[in-house]
């Protein structure tokens, strides 16, 4: 017996809860530290980078859930750790108002817990889907759960943004606590007895984790695609920590308004992903390579626009951010589809290891990209006014997206993996 559509939807509820909790720590709390507390953006960047850095343990969490015989307890345990970490992070920001160093210490522990919880719960969730979903449903299952996660991010950011006006520390703790408690309860209900009667696919012959990673890294296609994932995701996440501060400092948006702006951005991401899903599976429009390239180039164009409207003081930040989200979503879901295609290449029974490797590359790139964007904005503000400093970072991000588009043209051919024996120049 395998997961049906109802089971896939139930697991999507967990992914939705995960996205809702994480977005508060990477958007709302980040903005409060930079604008309300007037702390350097690099400080919040280091905290967010920490939660991404911890997620390099994702392959080991997947291995543990493979061997324990019960993935549900790892999913629930991870989400409980994430919920506690997210609430502690909000408490740390509140403490910083009156006791900076204790608040910073609590924030450090909190973001460590957020990374551990997201890695443990998220990886175990994907492993359960991969082993208990029929092959012909896997792509659809991945799309459904990813869209539900984006919906959770957008809905949480928009709702919390509206309820956070006027901002007070007490209101912040109430809202974050409600989101975390609700997400954990929803996770428990969604996973209750979900593994009963499910038969996982046969596991490959056991081998040490490091040995499996070395075997995958020896494959030219997998290695080249890893570089593409790292570069493109660095571009994707460079604006994560500076977009809300940019909107607050340059356009005068309040904490609630910038949180709603994050919700609008992720609403655009949702529409972009949906467009690719309908275009690829329903209308048969374009190839995965075409959607990846279009998403990268469109993201570069939108980022250029965001940089220019700040220089010209045009009140167009909301539509520009929504447009960026739309192209980000197109790129992200097409890249996921390409990843699933390439995961089956090379040595058999290493699909999970390849996905773990690319997931780790994405996590490292997310942390590095966010930190790079925040640190660059801080440094550039020493020699340029705020709108110019932020704008230069957005333009650098646009350049990385253009380079990523060129890489996609080399790595993928018409949405199909590279023919056997053909390597990317330089391999």
């Amino acid at each position: 017996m395998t997961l049906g559509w109802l089971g896939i939807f139930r697991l999507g509820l967990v992914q939705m809860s995960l996205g809702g909790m994480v977005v508060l720590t990477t958007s709302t709390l980040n903005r409060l530290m930079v604008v309300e507390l007037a702390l350097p953006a690099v400080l919040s960047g280091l905290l967010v980078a920490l939660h991404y850095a911890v997620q390099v343990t994702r392959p080991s969490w997947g291995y543990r859930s493979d061997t324990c015989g019960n993935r549900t307890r790892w999913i629930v345990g991870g989400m409980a750790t994430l919920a506690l970490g997210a609430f502690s992070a909000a408490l740390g920001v509140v403490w910083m108002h009156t006791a900076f160093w204790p608040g910073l210490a609590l924030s450090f522990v909190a973001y460590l817990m957020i990374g551990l919880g997201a890695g443990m719960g998220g990886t175990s969730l994907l492993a359960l889907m991969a082993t208990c979903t029929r092959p012909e449903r896997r792509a659809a299952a991945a799309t459904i759960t990813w869209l539900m996660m984006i919906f959770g991010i957008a809905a949480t950011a928009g709702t919390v943004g509206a309820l956070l006006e006027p901002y007070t520390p007490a209101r912040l703790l109430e809202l974050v606590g409600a989101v975390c408690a609700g997400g954990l309860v929803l996770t428990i209900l969604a996973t209750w007895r979900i593994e009963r009667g499910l038969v996982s696919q046969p596991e490959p012959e056991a081998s040490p984790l490091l040995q499996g990673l070395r075997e995958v890294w020896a494959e030219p296609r997998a290695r080249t695609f890893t570089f593409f994932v790292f570069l493109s995701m660095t571009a994707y996440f460079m604006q994560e920590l500076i977009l809300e501060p940019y909107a607050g400092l340059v356009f005068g948006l309040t904490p609630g308004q910038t949180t709603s702006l994050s919700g609008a951005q992720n609403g655009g991401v949702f529409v972009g992903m949906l467009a690719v899903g309908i275009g690829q599976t329903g209308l048969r429009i374009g190839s995965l390579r075409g959607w990846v390239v279009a998403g990268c180039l469109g993201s570069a164009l939108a980022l250029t626009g965001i940089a220019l409207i700040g220089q010209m003081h045009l009140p167009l930040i909301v539509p520009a951010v929504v447009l960026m989200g739309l192209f980000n979503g197109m790129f992200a879901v097409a890249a996921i589809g390409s990843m699933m295609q390439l995961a089956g290449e090379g040595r058999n029974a290493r699909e999970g290891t390849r996905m773990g490797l690319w997931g780790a590359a994405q996590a490292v790139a997310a942390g590095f990209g966010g930190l790079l964007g925040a640190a660059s904005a801080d440094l550039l503000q020493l020699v340029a006014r705020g709108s110019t400093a932020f704008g230069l970072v957005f333009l650098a991000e646009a350049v990385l997206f253009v380079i990523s588009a060129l890489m996609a043209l080399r790595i993928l051919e018409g949405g199909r993996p590279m023919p056997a024996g053909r390597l990317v120049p330089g391999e």
Side-chain angles (χ1 to χ4, degrees), residues 71-87:
R71 300 188 196 274
T72 300
R73 68 183 182 186
W74 291 97
I75 295 172
V76 175
M79 293 295 287
T81 304
L82 172 59
L84 181 59
F87 183 77

Side-chain angles (χ1 to χ4, degrees), residues 118-366:
M120 183 193 313
T123 303
S124 302
L125 175 71
L126 294 177
L128 178 60
M129 290 185 61
T131 55
C132 298
T133 304
R134 294 206 300 266
E136 64 272 16
R137 287 185 176 179
R138 286 177 187 165
T143 301
I144 289 171
T145 54
W146 197 272
L147 287 173
M148 291 181 70
M149 182 184 72
I150 297 300
F151 175 78
I153 292 172
T156 301
T159 303
V160 171
L163 297 178
L164 195 56
E165 297 286 359
Y167 167 74
T168 64
R171 187 185 295 268
L172 173 69
L173 292 178
E174 290 174 359
L175 292 174
V176 174
V179 170
C180 293
L184 181 57
V185 170
L186 186 59
T187 294
I188 294 172
L189 294 176
T191 57
W192 181 257
R193 295 184 175 180
I194 195 168
E195 289 189 82
R196 174 175 291 186
L198 292 179
V199 179
S200 300
Q201 297 176 356
E203 295 295 334
E205 182 181 350
S207 63
L209 176 62
L210 290 179
Q211 177 183 333
L213 288 173
R214 282 195 295 266
E215 291 172 352
V216 171
W217 190 251
E219 301 169 4
R221 296 183 184 90
R223 188 169 64 250
T224 304
F225 194 72
T226 303
F227 291 131
F228 166 75
V229 170
F230 179 81
L231 181 66
S232 59
M233 288 301 169
T234 297
Y236 187 94
F237 283 99
M238 272 186 70
Q239 53 76 31
E240 183 178 41
L241 300 182
I242 64 173
L243 183 60
E244 287 202 37
Y246 174 69
L249 293 171
V250 177
F251 295 92
L253 272 61
T254 65
Q257 289 173 327
T258 57
T259 301
S260 297
L261 180 67
S262 179
Q265 175 192 355
N266 285 289
V269 171
F270 182 87
V271 174
M273 289 184 169
L274 193 61
V276 175
I278 295 175
Q280 268 280 291
T281 60
L283 302 178
R284 307 284 182 181
I285 298 175
S287 63
L288 283 175
R289 183 185 67 174
W291 286 103
V292 169
V293 172
C296 286
L297 295 179
S299 296
L301 182 63
L303 284 162
T304 302
I306 291 174
L308 292 177
I309 63 174
Q311 293 296 306
M312 295 184 287
H313 302 288
L314 298 175
L316 300 174
I317 184 64
V318 174
V321 167
V322 171
L323 186 65
M324 179 185 69
L326 175 70
F327 286 115
N328 281 177
M330 288 170 52
F331 151 73
V333 78
I336 293 167
S338 301
M339 191 181 297
M340 295 181 69
Q341 281 188 339
L342 291 169
E345 290 197 347
R347 177 173 172 174
N348 292 331
R350 286 288 180 264
E351 292 84 354
T353 304
R354 294 186 191 94
M355 293 296 288
L357 175 64
W358 297 331
Q362 177 181 336
V364 172

Side-chain angles (χ1 to χ4, degrees), residues 96-137:
M96 286 185 196
H97 282 275
T98 55
F100 175 75
W101 292 109
L104 181 61
L106 177 60
S107 296
F108 181 86
V109 175
Y111 277 85
L112 187 67
M113 295 175 63
I114 291 167
L116 288 173
M120 183 193 313
T123 303
S124 302
L125 175 71
L126 294 177
L128 178 60
M129 290 185 61
T131 55
C132 298
T133 304
R134 294 206 300 266
E136 64 272 16
R137 287 185 176 179

